[in-house]
Amino acid sequence: MTWGTPQPERADAARNRQVLLAAARELLAEAGPDCLTMDLLAERSGLGKGTVFRRFGSRAGIFQALLDDSERELQERVLSGPPPLGPGAPAIDRLIAYGTARVRFLADHHAVARATIDGRHAAGRRRPLSEIHLRVLLREVHLPGADIEVLAGQLAYALDGPLLLQLFAGPELEGPEPTARFEAGWRDLVERVCGVSGA
Amino acid sequence: MTWGTPQPERADAARNRQVLLAAARELLAEAGPDCLTMDLLAERSGLGKGTVFRRFGSRAGIFQALLDDSERELQERVLSGPPPLGPGAPAIDRLIAYGTARVRFLADHHAVARATIDGRHAAGRRRPLSEIHLRVLLREVHLPGADIEVLAGQLAYALDGPLLLQLFAGPELEGPEPTARFEAGWRDLVERVCGVSGA
DNA sequence: GGCATAAGCGGGGTAAAGTCCGGTTAGGTC
DNA sequence: GACCTAACCGGACTTTACCCCGCTTATGCC
């Protein structure tokens, strides 16, 4: 009995989770997020509706799981990829690089990110992973008198919020042009907050 | 025919809007946001369900209208109230004062604010009013090389995001203690962004 | 004041989210 | 290998957001 993780999930449950995620991605790719219904997902995956809800709790939960899965790849690059995104560069450079990577990530996954939010269920909203990364990096920069916890939260939303609003509103702002402005804005914000005197 | 405003709304329609908003507030007060259903609202207001949807577009739209209504009062104080929230104080002081007022506002209305968000419909998400105010004030502060539009969006979300997350997650964080931390965090952020050298 | 027209209105209908509970099965124990 | 328990599974059921289309009524013109 090797409990490297306490495995709170039974083998069949884990298998079904994978089946469901795969079916969800499939439906997502062929018909878009709006057409992904719980009934359809259950039917397509060959499982019952009760199972779908047991696994993900709600419709938003499915998208959250999908997004988490995609985010893990970004997390890997932050934790052990090449600098400046990964370890080895000065903290400020890593902060800026993270912003750029995050903007790209959100631009790529905005349809899923949108389906994540749900005003009815509290479960949907979680502390974004960004906040953890930002907190660690901000601690490396020495900022006397700053409340790092709060500051990390503020920056996490400063990064995600405006871009998501833009992506939700506009029809399809593809291409590098609009995201470039957000990336530049993020760099500027980070430098201001960290007291880099550009003047 | 005095069209001071182009009056896109018929007289009876305007009256019904008021009836519906009043009924919504009533239901909200006595049973909470989760119990406010469209059918119940229609029944209580003595109008048809179709009318409710015609007026507000969706469930989230009702809460948005409610929130807009409440926000108007804050807006008044910003535009023509006493300083430092209203005109007459230095821009930085006004920025800080606005943050404090906004934190209080969100803390008071978080239940309604939460019901506003809806991942299904694009109509729900709008540019927050904060962003307009922040843009004006930031322009007064002379920030060379800053993209004011983007910066205003970033700060608007830095202000709302973390607090809303906190309010959504916790059961009921009433009292002045937790909001005080956000208010202090906002002051610090504004001073950093505007280059006030506190050190 | 009657009329044309366009907007407002109503409530029944549909589809999809989320719940429930009886039957089933995995996984550990003796 | 048999048994026990707890977790899992399925699909019928309920609730509710949202749509639709024929009826009603406000408003401007003759």
Side-chain angles (χ1 to χ4, degrees):
Chain A
M1 186 204 284
T2 58
W3 34 295
T5 54
Q7 81 188 55
E9 200 173 51
R10 233 163 62 175
D12 54 346
R15 182 160 35 80
N16 283 340
R17 149 172 265 114
Q18 290 311 120
V19 168
L20 285 168
L21 282 175
R25 281 194 204 285
E26 198 178 320
L27 287 171
L28 208 55
E30 73 191 43
D34 289 346
C35 296
L36 174 44
T37 73
M38 303 304 254
D39 289 294
L40 191 56
L41 179 58
E43 184 190 1
R44 183 67 77 98
S45 61
L47 299 170
K49 200 156 56 149
T51 307
V52 178
F53 277 93
R54 169 169 298 273
R55 281 285 80 99
F56 298 109
S58 73
R59 184 185 137 89
I62 291 177
F63 291 96
Q64 185 73 58
L66 248 28
L67 200 64
D68 284 353
D69 204 50
S70 301
E71 205 168 6
R72 200 157 300 131
E73 183 262 350
L74 173 59
Q75 191 183 4
E76 289 297 324
R77 285 194 290 145
V78 170
L79 291 179
S80 57
L85 186 58
I92 292 194
D93 294 341
R94 294 192 67 193
L95 280 169
I96 293 169
Y98 180 72
T100 303
R102 178 80 183 167
V103 167
R104 301 263 161 83
F105 176 80
L106 288 179
D108 288 346
H109 299 91
H110 71 273
V112 177
R114 158 185 233 161
T116 292
I117 68 178
D118 180 357
R120 285 282 233 199
H121 299 89
R125 284 341 280 160
R126 288 185 346 203
R127 212 124 219 137
L129 195 54
S130 291
E131 199 171 327
I132 312 287
H133 293 323
L134 294 180
R135 200 181 303 180
V136 171
L137 292 174
L138 285 171
R139 241 185 266 282
E140 274 187 52
V141 185
H142 192 56
L143 296 176
D147 186 337
I148 297 292
E149 312 257 324
V150 171
L151 185 57
Q154 289 170 329
L155 290 183
Y157 276 95
L159 184 53
D160 287 10
L163 179 59
L164 287 176
L165 183 64
Q166 183 91 340
L167 291 172
F168 287 179
E172 281 299 323
L173 312 192
E174 300 285 349
E177 187 263 306
T179 60
R181 197 164 167 201
F182 286 106
E183 291 172 23
W186 172 252
R187 163 186 244 104
D188 188 59
L189 181 63
V190 167
E191 288 176 348
R192 285 181 189 280
V193 166
C194 295
V196 176
S197 51
Chain B
M1 184 206 278
T2 57
W3 31 297
T5 55
Q7 81 188 58
E9 201 172 52
R10 233 162 61 175
D12 55 346
R15 182 161 33 82
N16 282 340
R17 150 174 263 114
Q18 289 313 117
V19 168
L20 284 168
L21 282 175
R25 281 195 204 285
E26 198 179 321
L27 286 170
L28 207 56
E30 72 192 43
D34 288 346
C35 295
L36 174 44
T37 74
M38 303 307 254
D39 290 292
L40 191 55
L41 180 56
E43 185 190 358
R44 183 66 77 96
S45 60
L47 298 170
K49 210 172 8 170
T51 307
V52 179
F53 278 93
R54 169 169 298 273
R55 280 284 82 95
F56 300 108
S58 72
R59 183 184 139 88
I62 291 177
F63 291 96
Q64 185 73 58
L66 248 29
L67 200 64
D68 284 353
D69 203 50
S70 301
E71 205 167 6
R72 202 157 299 133
E73 182 262 350
L74 174 59
Q75 192 183 1
E76 290 298 324
R77 284 194 290 145
V78 170
L79 291 179
S80 59
L85 185 57
I92 292 193
D93 294 340
R94 293 191 68 194
L95 281 169
I96 293 170
Y98 180 72
T100 303
R102 178 79 182 166
V103 167
R104 301 265 161 82
F105 176 79
L106 288 179
D108 287 345
H109 299 91
H110 72 274
V112 177
R114 160 188 229 157
T116 292
I117 69 178
D118 180 357
R120 287 279 234 199
H121 298 88
R125 279 350 271 158
R126 287 186 348 203
R127 212 126 220 134
L129 194 55
S130 291
E131 198 170 329
I132 313 288
H133 293 321
L134 294 180
R135 201 181 302 179
V136 172
L137 292 175
L138 285 171
R139 240 184 267 282
E140 274 187 50
V141 185
H142 191 57
L143 295 176
D147 186 337
I148 297 292
E149 313 257 324
V150 171
L151 185 57
Q154 290 170 329
L155 290 184
Y157 276 95
L159 184 53
D160 287 10
L163 179 59
L164 286 175
L165 183 64
Q166 184 89 341
L167 291 172
F168 287 0
E172 282 300 322
L173 311 193
E174 301 287 347
E177 187 263 305
T179 61
R181 198 167 166 197
F182 285 106
E183 290 172 23
W186 172 254
R187 164 185 243 105
D188 188 59
L189 181 63
V190 167
E191 289 177 347
R192 285 180 189 280
V193 166
C194 295
V196 177
S197 50

